[in-house]
Amino acid sequence: QKEVEQNSGPLSVPEGAIASLNCTYSDRGSQSFFWYRQYSGKSPELIMSIYSNGDKEDGRFTAQLNKASQYVSLLIRDSQPSDSATYLCAVNPWQAGTALIFGKGTTLSVSS
Amino acid sequence: DAEITQSPRHKITETGRQVTLACHQTWNHNNMFWYRQDLGHGLRLIHYSYGVQDTNKGEVSDGYSVSRSNTEDLPLTLESAASSQTSVYFCASSAVGAVYEQYFGPGTRLTVT
């Protein structure tokens, strides 16, 4: 059973701090990794994708991938109250076509 | 602008009725997916399609069916609705290629009484 694990949270950080969200996956052959943000009552919104080991930065967001450790993380710098949401990690397992396996999500709360 | 839409946004139905949820995308994406999202389970794949006349079962396909007659639409049918199918349903699509980024519709909240 291919799995994607995330701490459910809530992760609470003060405004302006760095929020660190973590994800581990079971399928060593996975090639593509994604972070989605989901506000309460809304649909998931793609915010980052990463395909190779290392860091990928986009504005205040940095995705980090370590395939050897089967670990993906998302850093949010200068966290804002508007970042308060559930963050879903998604992985494309080996030989799964284009299907994604989602983690259950980590709830982030940023206090002002 | 290209988009993905779902209808209805909210639906209440009775146990045993057949229900169809619509999904329409204007991105010309070949790949389309249906998920359900429940507390404690996260997003789970129901069915997916890689093109016209192609359908595949996902993790939780029992009691659901899909058909793909054109690129833009992938309707999801609950053949005989059960209370266990009360959930929020999301449709998603992605383009052909090595980049498997999926984009989601707004969702349909279905209640089976």
Side-chain angles (χ1 to χ4, degrees):
Chain A
Q1 181 77 3
K2 298 178 174 69
E3 294 182 338
V4 176
E5 299 286 344
Q6 298 179 254
N7 288 327
S8 61
L11 173 65
S12 298
V13 300
E15 183 175 359
I18 296 176
S20 177
L21 303 159
N22 304 314
C23 171
T24 59
Y25 58 95
S26 62
D27 183 5
R28 184 170 290 277
S30 298
Q31 297 295 314
S32 306
F33 307 86
F34 307 92
W35 283 99
Y36 286 81
R37 177 177 62 199
Q38 187 174 25
Y39 292 114
S40 181
K42 302 296 185 182
S43 60
E45 172 193 10
L46 179 66
I47 56 172
M48 289 289 287
S49 56
I50 187 167
Y51 305 99
S52 55
N53 279 331
D55 295 358
K56 179 182 178 183
E57 186 175 319
D58 184 0
R60 295 186 297 110
F61 298 100
T62 299
Q64 299 175 317
L65 174 61
N66 184 326
K67 289 185 178 180
S69 299
Q70 296 175 236
Y71 178 90
V72 192
S73 65
L74 179 69
L75 300 178
I76 306 175
R77 291 182 301 281
D78 188 23
S79 295
Q80 301 297 309
S82 59
D83 294 325
S84 298
T86 297
Y87 290 81
L88 307 175
C89 174
V91 174
N92 173 239
W94 175 246
Q95 294 185 330
T98 65
L100 299 181
I101 306 297
F102 285 81
K104 295 178 182 179
T106 298
T107 299
L108 172 66
S109 177
V110 181
S111 56
S112 57
Chain B
D1 286 345
E3 61 177 356
I4 181 166
T5 57
Q6 294 183 234
S7 62
R9 296 294 310 278
H10 301 271
K11 174 79 176 177
I12 300 175
T13 191
E14 295 178 343
T15 301
R17 291 192 178 267
Q18 184 180 80
V19 177
T20 296
L21 309 182
C23 176
H24 178 80
Q25 53 95 5
T26 58
W27 280 308
N28 201 34
H29 284 169
N30 272 25
N31 306 326
M32 296 184 72
F33 307 83
W34 273 104
Y35 295 89
R36 60 178 289 176
Q37 188 173 39
D38 306 284
L39 280 174
H41 290 280
L43 278 165
R44 291 183 290 173
L45 184 63
I46 305 171
H47 281 287
Y48 57 103
S49 168
Y50 291 150
V52 176
Q53 303 301 327
D54 176 75
T55 61
N56 305 279
K57 293 181 179 181
E59 177 189 358
V60 290
S61 60
D62 287 348
Y64 304 93
S65 63
V66 293
S67 63
R68 186 92 179 269
S69 59
N70 59 53
T71 301
E72 296 80 18
D73 299 288
L74 186 68
L76 176 72
T77 297
L78 287 67
E79 294 137 11
S80 177
S83 58
S84 60
Q85 294 177 308
T86 292
S87 186
V88 179
Y89 291 86
F90 290 105
C91 179
S93 70
S94 70
V96 173
V99 176
Y100 300 142
E101 298 176 348
Q102 292 185 16
Y103 298 91
F104 282 77
T108 294
R109 181 174 295 277
L110 176 68
T111 302
V112 182
T113 62

